[in-house]
Amino acid sequence: MVIVCILLGLTSVVLGFRLWTQNRALRGAAEQLRALEAQGSGGRVRLAAPNGAAEDLLAEVNRLLALRMEDRTEGRAREKELRRQISNISHDLRTPLTSILGYLQLLEDENLSPEERRAYLEVVRSRSQALQRLITSFYDLSRLEGGEFPLEEAQVDLRGVLAELLASFYQDFTDAGFDMRVELDEHIPAVRADPGGALRVMTNLLRNALDHGQSPMTIRLYEAGERVVSRFTNAAPDLNPEDAQHVFDRFFTSDKMRTGRNTGLGLAIVKTLALRMGGTVDAELVDGNFAIVLTWRKWK
Protein backbone atom coordinates (compact mmCIF):
# COMPACT_ATOMS: atom_id res chain seq x y z
CA MET A 1 0.00 0.00 0.00
CA VAL A 2 2.89 2.32 0.85
CA ILE A 3 4.52 1.58 -2.50
CA VAL A 4 1.28 2.41 -4.31
CA CYS A 5 1.04 5.71 -2.48
CA ILE A 6 4.64 6.50 -3.32
CA LEU A 7 4.05 5.67 -6.99
CA LEU A 8 0.89 7.79 -7.07
CA GLY A 9 2.79 10.62 -5.42
CA LEU A 10 5.62 10.41 -7.94
CA THR A 11 3.11 10.26 -10.79
CA SER A 12 1.37 13.35 -9.46
CA VAL A 13 4.68 15.16 -9.19
CA VAL A 14 5.67 14.20 -12.75
CA LEU A 15 2.26 15.15 -14.12
CA GLY A 16 2.30 18.38 -12.16
CA PHE A 17 5.77 19.23 -13.43
CA ARG A 18 4.76 18.39 -16.98
CA LEU A 19 1.63 20.53 -16.67
CA TRP A 20 3.66 23.40 -15.24
CA THR A 21 6.18 23.05 -18.05
CA GLN A 22 3.47 23.03 -20.72
CA ASN A 23 1.72 26.00 -19.15
CA ARG A 24 5.01 27.86 -18.98
CA ALA A 25 5.72 27.01 -22.63
CA LEU A 26 2.27 28.19 -23.72
CA ARG A 27 2.64 31.43 -21.73
CA GLY A 28 6.01 31.93 -23.42
CA ALA A 29 4.42 31.36 -26.83
CA ALA A 30 1.71 33.90 -25.98
CA GLU A 31 4.39 36.42 -24.98
CA GLN A 32 6.20 35.79 -28.27
CA LEU A 33 2.96 36.36 -30.15
CA ARG A 34 2.32 39.65 -28.34
CA ALA A 35 5.91 40.78 -29.03
CA LEU A 36 5.62 39.95 -32.73
CA GLU A 37 2.34 41.87 -32.90
CA ALA A 38 3.86 44.90 -31.17
CA GLN A 39 6.92 44.90 -33.45
CA GLY A 40 5.01 44.11 -36.63
CA SER A 41 7.56 41.37 -37.18
CA GLY A 42 7.25 38.38 -39.46
CA GLY A 43 8.98 36.00 -37.08
CA ARG A 44 7.71 32.63 -35.88
CA VAL A 45 6.33 31.56 -32.51
CA ARG A 46 8.26 28.68 -30.96
CA LEU A 47 7.35 26.30 -28.16
CA ALA A 48 9.90 25.88 -25.36
CA ALA A 49 8.69 22.37 -24.40
CA PRO A 50 7.60 19.55 -26.73
CA ASN A 51 3.85 19.11 -27.10
CA GLY A 52 2.39 17.51 -30.21
CA ALA A 53 -1.06 19.11 -30.09
CA ALA A 54 0.31 22.54 -29.14
CA GLU A 55 2.94 22.32 -31.88
CA ASP A 56 0.23 21.63 -34.46
CA LEU A 57 -1.64 24.67 -33.19
CA LEU A 58 1.48 26.86 -33.33
CA ALA A 59 2.24 25.64 -36.86
CA GLU A 60 -1.17 26.93 -37.93
CA VAL A 61 -0.63 30.16 -36.00
CA ASN A 62 2.74 30.64 -37.73
CA ARG A 63 1.13 30.00 -41.11
CA LEU A 64 -1.48 32.66 -40.41
CA LEU A 65 1.22 35.05 -39.18
CA ALA A 66 3.17 34.53 -42.41
CA LEU A 67 0.04 35.18 -44.49
CA ARG A 68 -0.75 38.34 -42.54
CA MET A 69 2.81 39.57 -42.93
CA GLU A 70 2.61 38.91 -46.66
CA ASP A 71 -0.67 40.83 -46.81
CA ARG A 72 0.91 43.74 -44.95
CA THR A 73 3.87 43.80 -47.32
CA GLU A 74 1.61 43.70 -50.36
CA GLY A 75 -0.62 46.36 -48.82
CA ARG A 76 2.34 48.69 -48.28
CA ALA A 77 3.47 48.10 -51.86
CA ARG A 78 -0.04 48.82 -53.18
CA GLU A 79 -0.27 51.97 -51.08
CA LYS A 80 3.11 53.16 -52.36
CA GLU A 81 2.10 52.42 -55.95
CA LEU A 82 -1.23 54.19 -55.45
CA ARG A 83 0.51 57.30 -54.12
CA ARG A 84 2.87 57.24 -57.11
CA GLN A 85 -0.04 56.87 -59.53
CA ILE A 86 -2.00 59.69 -57.90
CA SER A 87 1.09 61.89 -58.17
CA ASN A 88 1.49 61.01 -61.85
CA ILE A 89 -2.20 61.56 -62.58
CA SER A 90 -2.08 64.94 -60.88
CA HIS A 91 0.98 65.92 -62.90
CA ASP A 92 -0.45 64.70 -66.19
CA LEU A 93 -3.70 66.60 -65.62
CA ARG A 94 -1.98 69.72 -64.34
CA THR A 95 0.38 70.08 -67.32
CA PRO A 96 -2.24 70.74 -70.05
CA LEU A 97 -4.46 72.65 -67.62
CA THR A 98 -1.62 75.03 -66.75
CA SER A 99 -0.95 75.58 -70.43
CA ILE A 100 -4.64 76.22 -71.19
CA LEU A 101 -4.98 78.73 -68.34
CA GLY A 102 -1.79 80.48 -69.41
CA TYR A 103 -2.95 80.98 -72.99
CA LEU A 104 -6.42 82.04 -71.86
CA GLN A 105 -4.75 84.74 -69.81
CA LEU A 106 -2.75 85.83 -72.86
CA LEU A 107 -5.98 86.03 -74.86
CA GLU A 108 -7.24 88.75 -72.50
CA ASP A 109 -4.71 91.14 -73.99
CA GLU A 110 -6.69 93.61 -76.11
CA ASN A 111 -3.63 94.46 -78.20
CA LEU A 112 -3.33 90.97 -79.72
CA SER A 113 -3.36 90.81 -83.49
CA PRO A 114 -5.90 88.52 -85.17
CA GLU A 115 -3.06 86.17 -86.16
CA GLU A 116 -1.76 85.93 -82.59
CA ARG A 117 -5.27 85.39 -81.27
CA ARG A 118 -5.87 82.54 -83.74
CA ALA A 119 -2.53 80.98 -82.84
CA TYR A 120 -3.28 81.12 -79.11
CA LEU A 121 -6.75 79.70 -79.63
CA GLU A 122 -5.24 76.84 -81.64
CA VAL A 123 -2.91 76.05 -78.73
CA VAL A 124 -5.85 76.08 -76.29
CA ARG A 125 -7.80 73.78 -78.60
CA SER A 126 -4.84 71.39 -78.93
CA ARG A 127 -4.21 71.27 -75.17
CA SER A 128 -7.92 70.77 -74.49
CA GLN A 129 -8.04 67.81 -76.87
CA ALA A 130 -4.96 66.33 -75.20
CA LEU A 131 -6.62 66.74 -71.80
CA GLN A 132 -9.79 65.10 -73.11
CA ARG A 133 -7.81 62.13 -74.47
CA LEU A 134 -5.99 61.80 -71.16
CA ILE A 135 -9.18 61.78 -69.07
CA THR A 136 -10.76 59.28 -71.48
CA SER A 137 -7.68 57.06 -71.15
CA PHE A 138 -7.87 57.15 -67.34
CA TYR A 139 -11.52 56.16 -67.47
CA ASP A 140 -11.12 53.43 -70.10
CA LEU A 141 -8.13 51.84 -68.36
CA SER A 142 -10.05 51.78 -65.08
CA ARG A 143 -13.01 50.08 -66.78
CA LEU A 144 -10.76 47.59 -68.59
CA GLU A 145 -8.93 46.53 -65.44
CA GLY A 146 -12.21 46.33 -63.54
CA GLY A 147 -13.76 44.07 -66.19
CA GLU A 148 -16.40 46.71 -66.98
CA PHE A 149 -15.37 47.33 -70.59
CA PRO A 150 -17.58 45.06 -72.73
CA LEU A 151 -15.89 43.35 -75.69
CA GLU A 152 -17.63 41.33 -78.39
CA GLU A 153 -15.92 38.88 -80.72
CA ALA A 154 -16.53 39.51 -84.39
CA GLN A 155 -14.87 39.24 -87.80
CA VAL A 156 -12.51 42.18 -88.13
CA ASP A 157 -10.75 43.20 -91.34
CA LEU A 158 -7.52 44.33 -89.72
CA ARG A 159 -6.00 45.40 -93.04
CA GLY A 160 -8.96 47.68 -93.74
CA VAL A 161 -8.89 49.14 -90.22
CA LEU A 162 -5.18 49.89 -90.44
CA ALA A 163 -5.39 51.30 -93.97
CA GLU A 164 -8.14 53.75 -92.97
CA LEU A 165 -6.27 54.81 -89.84
CA LEU A 166 -3.06 55.42 -91.76
CA ALA A 167 -4.96 57.62 -94.18
CA SER A 168 -6.41 59.66 -91.30
CA PHE A 169 -2.96 60.01 -89.66
CA TYR A 170 -1.16 60.73 -92.94
CA GLN A 171 -1.00 64.50 -92.50
CA ASP A 172 0.09 64.20 -88.86
CA PHE A 173 3.04 61.96 -89.75
CA THR A 174 3.90 64.12 -92.76
CA ASP A 175 3.93 67.29 -90.64
CA ALA A 176 6.14 65.51 -88.09
CA GLY A 177 8.63 64.62 -90.83
CA PHE A 178 8.22 60.86 -90.61
CA ASP A 179 9.62 58.66 -93.36
CA MET A 180 6.94 55.95 -93.50
CA ARG A 181 7.17 52.45 -94.92
CA VAL A 182 3.93 50.46 -94.93
CA GLU A 183 3.73 46.76 -95.83
CA LEU A 184 0.20 45.37 -95.58
CA ASP A 185 0.08 41.93 -97.17
CA GLU A 186 -2.85 41.33 -99.46
CA HIS A 187 -5.43 38.63 -98.72
CA ILE A 188 -4.90 38.91 -94.96
CA PRO A 189 -7.65 36.80 -93.32
CA ALA A 190 -10.10 38.38 -90.90
CA VAL A 191 -9.19 38.19 -87.24
CA ARG A 192 -11.30 37.38 -84.17
CA ALA A 193 -11.52 40.59 -82.15
CA ASP A 194 -13.76 43.34 -80.87
CA PRO A 195 -14.08 45.94 -83.67
CA GLY A 196 -13.86 48.91 -81.30
CA GLY A 197 -11.04 47.30 -79.34
CA ALA A 198 -9.01 46.61 -82.49
CA LEU A 199 -9.50 50.20 -83.65
CA ARG A 200 -8.42 51.51 -80.23
CA VAL A 201 -5.29 49.35 -80.22
CA MET A 202 -4.18 50.52 -83.67
CA THR A 203 -4.99 54.15 -82.87
CA ASN A 204 -2.98 54.07 -79.65
CA LEU A 205 0.00 52.51 -81.40
CA LEU A 206 0.03 55.18 -84.11
CA ARG A 207 -0.47 57.93 -81.55
CA ASN A 208 2.35 56.55 -79.41
CA ALA A 209 4.74 56.48 -82.37
CA LEU A 210 3.73 60.00 -83.40
CA ASP A 211 4.10 61.46 -79.90
CA HIS A 212 7.18 59.61 -78.68
CA GLY A 213 8.88 57.96 -81.66
CA GLN A 214 11.16 59.20 -84.39
CA SER A 215 11.52 58.61 -88.11
CA PRO A 216 11.85 56.27 -89.90
CA MET A 217 8.81 54.15 -89.16
CA THR A 218 7.78 50.78 -90.59
CA ILE A 219 4.34 49.21 -90.26
CA ARG A 220 3.83 45.59 -91.30
CA LEU A 221 0.80 43.30 -91.36
CA TYR A 222 1.32 39.66 -92.30
CA GLU A 223 0.33 36.06 -91.60
CA ALA A 224 2.40 33.78 -89.38
CA GLY A 225 0.94 30.29 -89.05
CA GLU A 226 -2.40 30.46 -87.25
CA ARG A 227 -1.93 34.11 -86.36
CA VAL A 228 -1.99 37.51 -88.02
CA VAL A 229 0.89 39.74 -86.94
CA SER A 230 0.97 43.54 -86.82
CA ARG A 231 4.38 45.11 -86.24
CA PHE A 232 5.02 48.80 -85.59
CA THR A 233 8.68 49.87 -85.66
CA ASN A 234 10.15 53.34 -85.23
CA ALA A 235 13.47 54.87 -84.27
CA ALA A 236 13.85 55.43 -80.51
CA PRO A 237 17.45 56.49 -79.80
CA ASP A 238 16.62 57.72 -76.30
CA LEU A 239 14.98 54.47 -75.15
CA ASN A 240 17.13 51.98 -73.26
CA PRO A 241 16.62 48.19 -72.91
CA GLU A 242 15.35 48.52 -69.34
CA ASP A 243 12.73 51.06 -70.39
CA ALA A 244 11.62 48.79 -73.23
CA GLN A 245 10.68 46.12 -70.69
CA HIS A 246 8.27 48.47 -68.92
CA VAL A 247 6.55 50.39 -71.72
CA PHE A 248 3.25 48.58 -71.06
CA ASP A 249 3.25 49.43 -67.34
CA ARG A 250 0.63 51.90 -66.17
CA PHE A 251 2.02 55.45 -65.98
CA PHE A 252 5.43 54.31 -67.19
CA THR A 253 7.47 57.14 -68.63
CA SER A 254 10.97 57.17 -70.05
CA ASP A 255 10.89 60.92 -69.42
CA LYS A 256 12.39 60.97 -65.94
CA MET A 257 11.61 64.67 -65.53
CA ARG A 258 7.97 64.12 -66.64
CA THR A 259 7.82 67.05 -69.05
CA GLY A 260 4.22 66.20 -69.88
CA ARG A 261 4.74 64.29 -73.13
CA ASN A 262 4.43 60.81 -71.61
CA THR A 263 1.39 59.60 -69.73
CA GLY A 264 2.09 55.86 -69.82
CA LEU A 265 -1.55 55.00 -70.48
CA GLY A 266 -1.81 54.40 -74.22
CA LEU A 267 0.37 51.30 -74.30
CA ALA A 268 -1.11 49.98 -71.04
CA ILE A 269 -4.50 50.06 -72.76
CA VAL A 270 -3.00 48.37 -75.84
CA LYS A 271 -1.72 45.47 -73.76
CA THR A 272 -4.91 45.06 -71.73
CA LEU A 273 -7.12 45.09 -74.83
CA ALA A 274 -4.86 42.77 -76.82
CA LEU A 275 -4.80 40.17 -74.06
CA ARG A 276 -8.56 40.37 -73.48
CA MET A 277 -9.11 39.76 -77.20
CA GLY A 278 -6.96 36.62 -77.08
CA GLY A 279 -3.88 38.16 -78.66
CA THR A 280 -0.31 38.68 -77.53
CA VAL A 281 1.81 41.81 -77.36
CA ASP A 282 5.57 42.25 -77.01
CA ALA A 283 8.07 45.10 -77.18
CA GLU A 284 11.55 44.89 -78.71
CA LEU A 285 14.47 47.29 -78.86
CA VAL A 286 17.17 46.44 -81.40
CA ASP A 287 19.91 48.87 -82.46
CA GLY A 288 17.88 51.91 -81.44
CA ASN A 289 14.72 50.73 -83.21
CA PHE A 290 11.70 50.15 -81.01
CA ALA A 291 9.06 47.65 -82.17
CA ILE A 292 5.68 46.64 -80.78
CA VAL A 293 4.52 43.27 -82.08
CA LEU A 294 0.93 42.05 -81.72
CA THR A 295 -0.52 38.73 -82.79
CA TRP A 296 -4.21 38.26 -83.54
CA ARG A 297 -6.32 35.11 -83.75
CA LYS A 298 -7.57 34.26 -87.21
CA TRP A 299 -11.31 34.08 -87.67
CA LYS A 300 -12.45 30.50 -88.15
Side-chain angles (χ1 to χ4, degrees), residues 221-233:
L221 185 67
Y222 57 93
E223 284 188 75
E226 294 301 312
R227 294 270 177 164
V228 172
V229 180
S230 55
R231 184 183 184 93
F232 294 70
T233 307

Side-chain angles (χ1 to χ4, degrees), residues 282-300:
D282 293 291
E284 303 172 358
L285 182 65
V286 180
D287 298 329
N289 290 311
F290 175 63
I292 294 180
V293 184
L294 292 98
T295 71
W296 307 77
R297 297 176 297 162
K298 289 182 182 179
W299 178 268
K300 293 184 178 179

Side-chain angles (χ1 to χ4, degrees), residues 132-162:
Q132 183 183 43
R133 287 196 299 268
L134 181 59
I135 293 172
T136 300
S137 294
F138 286 140
Y139 178 63
D140 288 348
L141 185 58
S142 174
R143 292 180 65 206
L144 277 168
E145 294 185 340
E148 301 171 359
F149 197 101
L151 296 176
E152 297 181 3
E153 285 193 347
Q155 251 179 301
V156 177
D157 175 14
L158 211 56
R159 189 178 190 277
V161 171
L162 191 50

Side-chain angles (χ1 to χ4, degrees), residues 10-48:
L10 289 174
T11 301
S12 298
V13 170
V14 170
L15 289 175
F17 178 76
R18 179 175 175 79
L19 181 61
W20 176 82
T21 302
Q22 296 298 327
N23 287 338
R24 184 170 180 272
L26 289 174
R27 284 194 296 271
E31 290 175 2
Q32 293 178 52
L33 188 58
R34 285 191 291 269
L36 291 175
E37 176 66 22
Q39 299 167 7
S41 172
R44 296 171 62 85
V45 178
R46 302 185 185 279
L47 201 62

Side-chain angles (χ1 to χ4, degrees), residues 160-174 182 206:
V161 171
L162 191 50
E164 288 186 15
L165 269 178
L166 287 170
S168 66
F169 273 90
Y170 174 80
Q171 193 61 50
D172 294 318
F173 280 105
T174 299
V182 179
L206 290 175

